[in-house]
């Protein structure tokens, strides 16, 4: 098995931790919430064995990377800036980027804003979502209700404290509930007087793709970091909408691939076509994984690795 090494670099005034395996063309792996570099454990070694330099980093606010205190330090411009800054620190002019969940949003946005640095983009779970005509949180309130979990996360300190109270319980619930093994059709709305974890049932036993050792790693990675950094991303949704006005309707130009599970909760919120070829004109394909939920690359590593490698070889 290819060795995974850990390093830290300074980017945009903060320290970013990353895990790396292999040599060759760079594939940068961008995690979501509440994850870290470890969510790409299966891809790091597979990509390295196939002749690629695979790098999975902890984004700002997460795990071993720095956690700026101000909410406004977590805008999409900061996050895209970290991707470009990391490419510079790694000595790479261009890369293929793959992002899952919130990391998918960062990957799509980076490919849209800096296509000169991106050879290709792979979005997992979250497709490219063109900029709406009005800010996101008012749209959510009208269409999904005040209890929608992203609106719940807007309250400073509330979800932060709840998720940090018992890390073992938090990760068991959050990794199980939206997975393909979790209950289907569960609500994403937090009832008044309840917490986010109240809508995430505790599994009787862990699904086959998730071990006690995996839970232990997440608990260790979050023991000091907590959740505030990641939650601050949600607290910039409307600010991001304002900042990206110059790119309204701008297409994502690099070659692209979209991978999603057919039990992913995001599918119910998407149009039938999932990704518009008007907004992603070089979409090479969509891979739908039967029985897979939200944690795409962790639940179905072999299928995800195969799809990624097919896409990467098409670029080479």
């Amino acid at each position: 098995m290819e060795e995974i090494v850990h390093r830290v670099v300074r980017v945009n005034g903060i320290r970013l931790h990353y895990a790396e395996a292999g040599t060759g063309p760079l594939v940068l792996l961008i995690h979501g919430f509440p994850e870290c570099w470890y969510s790409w454990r299966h891809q790091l070694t597979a990509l390295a064995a196939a002749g690629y330099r695979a790098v999975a980093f902890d984004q700002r606010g997460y795990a071993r990377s720095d956690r700026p205190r101000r909410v406004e330090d977590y805008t999409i411009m900061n996050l895209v800036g970290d991707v470009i800054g990391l490419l510079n620190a790694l000595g790479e002019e261009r890369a293929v980027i793959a992002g899952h969940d919130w990391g998918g949003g960062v990957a799509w946005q980076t490919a849209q804003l800096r296509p000169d640095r991106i050879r290709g983009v792979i979005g997992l779970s979250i497709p490219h979502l063109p900029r709406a005509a009005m800010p996101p949180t008012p749209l959510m309130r009208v269409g999904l209700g005040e209890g929608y979990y992203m609106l719940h996360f807007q309250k400073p300190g509330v979800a932060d404290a709840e998720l940090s109270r018992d890390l073992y319980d938090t990760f068991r619930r959050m990794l199980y509930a939206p997975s393909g093994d979790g209950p289907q059709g569960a609500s994403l709305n937090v009832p008044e007087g309840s917490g986010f974890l109240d809508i995430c049932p505790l599994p009787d036993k862990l699904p086959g793709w998730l071990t006690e050792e995996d839970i232990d790693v997440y608990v260790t990675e979050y023991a000091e970091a907590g959740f505030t950094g990641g939650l601050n991303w949600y607290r910039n949704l409307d600010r991001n909408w304002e900042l990206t006005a110059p790119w309204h309707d701008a297409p994502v130009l690099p070659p692209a691939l979209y991978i999603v599970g057919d039990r992913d909760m995001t599918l119910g919120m998407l149009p039938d076509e999932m990704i518009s070829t008007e907004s992603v004109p070089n979409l090479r394909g969509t891979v739908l994984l039967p029985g897979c939920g939200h944690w795409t690359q962790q639940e179905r590593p072999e299928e995800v690795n195969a799809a990624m490698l097919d896409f990467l070889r098409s670029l080479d």
Side-chain angles (χ1 to χ4, degrees):
M1 179 178 291
E2 298 288 336
E3 180 185 8
I4 297 175
V5 297
H6 294 263
R7 297 187 174 93
V8 173
V9 292
R10 183 163 288 276
V11 171
N12 298 327
I14 64 172
R15 295 166 65 256
L16 293 181
H17 160 263
Y18 66 91
E20 178 177 14
T23 58
L26 177 63
V27 183
L28 190 63
L29 307 168
I30 312 174
H31 68 79
F33 179 86
E35 298 172 284
C36 63
W37 71 270
Y38 187 72
S39 68
W40 298 102
R41 58 196 178 277
H42 304 296
Q43 287 68 47
L44 282 166
T45 52
L47 292 170
Y52 294 93
R53 181 187 187 188
V55 171
F57 74 107
D58 292 332
Q59 298 204 73
R60 63 170 60 204
Y62 287 89
R64 306 186 208 181
S65 289
D66 280 350
R67 303 178 294 279
R69 291 185 178 275
R70 302 187 311 162
V71 172
E72 56 267 33
D73 287 333
Y74 293 87
T75 71
I76 193 63
M77 294 305 179
N78 296 108
L79 307 179
V80 171
D82 288 345
V83 172
I84 300 303
L86 184 55
L87 293 186
N88 295 339
L90 294 171
E92 300 279 359
E93 182 62 30
R94 303 180 74 215
V96 174
I97 53 176
H100 169 256
D101 183 75
W102 247 116
V106 174
W108 291 115
Q109 202 82 63
T110 303
Q112 183 184 45
L113 271 57
R114 291 303 306 269
D116 57 312
R117 303 297 299 272
I118 304 304
R119 293 179 55 228
V121 56
I122 305 171
L124 291 85
S125 180
I126 303 299
H128 172 60
L129 300 173
R131 185 174 179 272
M134 63 182 290
T137 61
L139 282 175
M140 291 175 187
R141 287 188 172 92
V142 171
L144 300 167
E146 188 64 44
Y148 186 59
Y149 80 100
M150 290 192 188
L151 296 176
H152 177 74
F153 285 170
Q154 302 297 313
K155 307 167 187 175
V158 176
D160 318 46
E162 179 194 9
L163 299 181
S164 297
R165 196 167 295 127
D166 183 337
L167 293 176
Y168 285 95
D169 182 73
T170 292
F171 280 106
R172 277 186 173 83
R173 291 177 183 273
M174 290 190 73
L175 292 174
Y176 165 71
S179 76
D181 299 277
Q184 300 303 296
S187 174
L188 294 175
N189 283 57
V190 179
E192 187 174 355
S194 299
F196 176 74
L197 294 179
D198 292 325
I199 64 172
C200 299
L202 190 65
D204 295 329
K205 64 176 182 178
L206 294 178
W209 58 270
L210 183 65
T211 68
E212 290 291 345
E213 290 74 19
D214 295 331
I215 297 289
D216 288 341
V217 171
Y218 278 111
V219 168
T220 299
E221 296 288 346
Y222 272 74
E224 181 180 349
F227 294 86
T228 298
L231 289 167
N232 280 342
W233 293 30
Y234 293 92
R235 295 161 187 161
N236 277 286
L237 288 172
D238 290 345
R239 188 177 284 113
N240 290 344
W241 182 83
E242 295 174 1
L243 290 171
T244 54
W247 292 271
H248 189 81
D249 289 337
V252 173
L253 295 176
L257 175 69
Y258 178 47
I259 305 174
V260 64
D262 68 356
R263 294 187 181 181
D264 195 318
M265 59 189 179
T266 61
L267 277 185
M269 306 177 192
L270 301 177
D272 291 339
E273 62 180 347
M274 291 190 255
I275 296 185
S276 165
T277 52
E278 289 185 8
S279 59
V280 188
N282 292 314
L283 181 67
R284 298 281 180 89
T286 294
V287 177
L288 190 64
L289 301 173
C292 180
H294 185 63
W295 310 113
T296 326
Q297 75 273 24
Q298 298 185 78
E299 293 185 53
R300 295 291 188 274
E302 292 184 3
E303 294 95 324
V304 168
N305 293 348
M308 291 180 69
L309 287 170
D310 284 346
F311 176 73
L312 290 167
R313 287 164 182 153
S314 76
L315 300 180
D316 296 340

